[in-house]
Amino acid sequence: MSDLQDVIIALTVAGEEVDGMVADLTAEQWATPTPSPGWTVRHQVAHLAATFRMAGLAASDPAAFGALAKTLSPDFDANVNAAMSQYLGDPTEVLLSRWRTDRDNAIKALAAVPADSVVPWLVRPLPPAILACAGMMELFGHGQDIADALGVRRAFSDRLRYLVAFAVRTWDFGYLARELPTPEVEFRFEITGPSGALWEFGPADAVNRISGPAVDFCLLVTRRRHHSDLAVTASGPEATAWLEIAQAYRGPAGDGRAPRQFAA
């Protein structure tokens, strides 16, 4: 993983981008349904606030995070809903303020952790740069739900490389979420950044290959678009099957998005 401070900058920019979509919304817009069933824009921001609060606690007070982790249910969705419920009753301006505070505190706490150490997390301890990349993944996915709800067209830079690298690192999460055996093969990823730069991961002679633009790849691994609507292509039997299950997060896969759900 690249220098921690570079990842922190990318995380900060990603947070500001999502913040810009919600900063001036009316009360009615906060209640806009998003593509995630049952979730409004308010739910999306509440979830992000709760996630960043937890990451900030893990980075700044590992003992307190450990105590919190022991109270969590084996039910992933129940934990998500319980954390989110601590924010949903807030007036809009309070929720926005808490989201900003939780986000900023988490970023500062992660930046202060020595790059070569680890931060406790839900499944296993992670280097701070990796946890920051996970934060970028959360912002990308839930930010896309907000953008889809509000009709916002997003713009991205080559800072997406950190999220792409994270998704390559977690390429097996789709199998784990479905309790499927992970194939004993290596994938080749050739992903093109917004600038046109080519980012390559995995052996050059791999039979199973994934290629395509970075934005589409990130939409795929956050399950915000169906793979048939994206310019991500696969060759090789395992890579082709992977398109159906790709995800860069632990926990239930959910239904994802339907083909042509976002067709004009």
Side-chain angles (χ1 to χ4, degrees):
M1 184 58 64
S2 298
D3 180 77
L4 172 61
Q5 295 309 313
D6 290 339
V7 182
I8 291 296
I9 291 170
L11 178 62
T12 301
V13 171
E16 291 170 348
E17 186 257 344
V18 173
D19 193 283
M21 289 193 282
V22 300
D24 299 316
L25 296 183
T26 64
E28 291 75 17
Q29 287 173 311
W30 278 89
T32 304
T34 69
S36 295
W39 283 33
T40 65
V41 171
R42 174 180 291 275
H43 286 82
Q44 300 287 349
V45 175
H47 173 71
L48 287 171
T51 301
F52 275 80
R53 178 179 177 272
M54 188 174 291
L57 184 65
S60 64
D61 192 341
F65 175 82
L68 173 63
K70 290 179 181 178
T71 70
L72 297 179
S73 163
D75 186 328
F76 181 88
D77 289 334
N79 292 328
V80 169
N81 291 329
M84 196 164 50
S85 69
Q86 300 176 42
Y87 294 84
L88 289 175
D90 288 341
T92 297
E93 63 276 11
V94 175
L95 173 57
L96 183 60
S97 177
R98 290 182 71 189
W99 142 242
R100 288 170 170 167
T101 298
D102 290 335
R103 185 184 82 228
D104 291 347
N105 286 346
I107 292 172
K108 290 176 184 176
L110 286 168
V113 177
D116 59 353
S117 62
V118 295
V119 176
W121 197 235
L122 299 173
V123 177
R124 59 179 179 269
L126 298 173
I130 300 299
L131 189 51
C133 289
M136 288 185 67
M137 183 268 297
E138 293 283 339
L139 289 164
F140 185 97
H142 294 285
Q144 189 61 46
D145 289 336
I146 294 169
D148 288 333
L150 301 175
V152 174
R153 188 175 182 86
R154 306 172 82 186
F156 296 100
S157 73
D158 277 7
R159 291 190 180 94
L160 274 186
R161 190 182 194 285
Y162 300 116
L163 177 48
V164 169
F166 178 78
V168 169
R169 179 187 179 100
T170 59
W171 74 279
D172 60 338
F173 279 8
Y175 302 99
L176 297 174
R178 295 162 179 80
E179 298 183 348
L180 297 172
T182 302
E184 295 183 3
V185 298
E186 289 189 87
F187 283 22
R188 171 73 168 181
F189 294 88
E190 297 180 346
I191 308 300
T192 304
S195 72
L198 180 63
W199 306 328
E200 300 172 285
F201 307 87
D205 60 350
V207 171
N208 291 280
R209 310 171 75 86
I210 302 289
S211 62
V215 173
D216 283 24
F217 181 74
C218 292
L219 288 167
L220 173 73
V221 298
T222 56
R223 298 181 62 78
R224 263 50 187 192
R225 292 292 187 273
H226 192 270
H227 68 85
S228 64
D229 296 329
L230 299 171
V232 178
T233 61
S235 61
E238 298 294 353
T240 300
W242 182 82
L243 292 181
E244 291 282 351
I245 66 169
Q247 66 180 74
Y249 54 90
R250 293 297 293 264
D255 293 332
R257 303 292 177 260
R260 297 193 61 77
Q261 182 173 345
F262 298 92

